[in-house]
Amino acid sequence: MYEKERQELVDKISKNGITDVYVLKAISEVERHKFVPEALLPHAYKDVALPIGYGQTISQPYTVAFMTQSLKVQPDSKILEIGTGSGYQAALLYRMGAKVYSIERQFEIYDRTRKLLDELEIRVNTKCGDGTIGWEEFAPFDGILVTAGSPNVPPSLQKQLAVGGKLVIPVGDKVSQKLRIVTKVDVDKFETVDIPEFVFVPLIGKEGWKQQ
Ligand code: SAH
């Protein structure tokens, strides 16, 4: 179902500058319509963010593609995602061959998405909790992807990144953010690139925003 719409979406985001063939392939394969509320099915393949309930959103496909491309995922990379939300981003990473760990703060969203991922046989490790402090038990990660906007880069996430790994995180105020790509070049050495103008829901937690 929706193959034509999915292909049109791939064409659109590749025209807008996404070049990583593995990212584009994953987008052509993962059924985004399974991750959006039923009432929004006709909009599932538009290049827009959509509400998923509880004040949260499934991110815009272009943004998801851009962040995933920035991570430089290899098959077997160990990736930590903060903000499971609908599960769509986690599903893409899984499709690209990554070992995925994903944390969601809101129990209702965590619970619903956990069931959906099981149903779709998408094998990612999930937990409900505050992702700003990372997931120490499975660190270090080859890549960390934060899908909510933060006032700063949480130090715990920098610590849990493997040397050579990348952390992709929207940083800014609550209205708009830059996408920050942090590469850990050595144990205590980081290189940073900022890309302007992205909009995300807030990252709430110990090392993020204190409240909504
Ligand atoms: N990756 C998601 C995007 C979800 S929006 C997708 O593909 O659909 C961001 C999500 O981050 C929301 O569900 C929100 O509840 C969650 N979130 C916010 N702060 C968080 C935190 N500190 N830890 C984990 N999840 C958090």
Side-chain angles (χ1 to χ4, degrees), residues 56-57 81 83-84 86 89 103-105 130-131 147 202-204:
Q56 305 304 329
T57 56
E81 178 194 24
T84 314
S86 69
Q89 170 77 73
I103 307 176
E104 170 56 50
R105 171 181 168 268
D130 177 9
T147 68
L203 180 75
I204 299 160

Side-chain angles (χ1 to χ4, degrees), residues 49-134:
L50 295 169
I52 57 169
Y54 309 99
Q56 305 304 329
T57 56
I58 175 171
S59 309
Q60 180 184 352
Y62 173 79
T63 303
V64 173
F66 192 93
M67 292 180 86
T68 311
Q69 172 169 284
S70 305
L71 261 190
K72 307 258 187 278
V73 181
Q74 308 288 325
D76 276 338
S77 293
K78 205 205 276 183
I79 306 289
L80 175 65
E81 178 194 24
I82 313 301
T84 314
S86 69
Y88 178 68
Q89 170 77 73
L92 282 180
L93 292 166
Y94 174 74
R95 203 46 170 276
M96 292 172 74
K99 280 194 224 95
V100 186
Y101 297 80
S102 185
I103 307 176
E104 170 56 50
R105 171 181 168 268
Q106 288 198 51
F107 181 76
E108 296 82 357
I109 297 180
Y110 157 80
D111 191 46
R112 188 180 65 191
T113 300
R114 179 67 263 165
K115 289 178 185 138
L116 176 69
L117 293 170
D118 285 343
E119 225 175 271
L120 300 175
E121 298 183 356
I122 294 166
R123 298 189 209 296
V124 309
N125 305 283
T126 59
K127 83 166 175 179
C128 186
D130 177 9
T132 63
I133 56 168

Side-chain angles (χ1 to χ4, degrees), residues 2-66:
Y2 293 111
E3 264 114 40
K4 186 169 152 270
E5 286 83 350
R6 219 162 23 250
Q7 195 48 51
E8 283 167 4
L9 176 63
V10 170
D11 294 346
K12 178 152 197 239
I13 59 180
S14 92
K15 224 178 271 155
N16 288 342
I18 303 300
T19 52
D20 185 322
V21 290
Y22 298 105
V23 174
L24 294 171
K25 183 164 182 283
I27 291 176
S28 75
E29 290 171 354
V30 176
E31 300 182 303
R32 191 172 188 253
H33 66 273
K34 301 256 167 85
F35 298 85
V36 307
E38 217 179 324
L40 297 174
L41 275 179
H43 307 289
Y45 293 98
K46 293 192 178 145
D47 191 21
V48 292
L50 295 169
I52 57 169
Y54 309 99
Q56 305 304 329
T57 56
I58 175 171
S59 309
Q60 180 184 352
Y62 173 79
T63 303
V64 173
F66 192 93

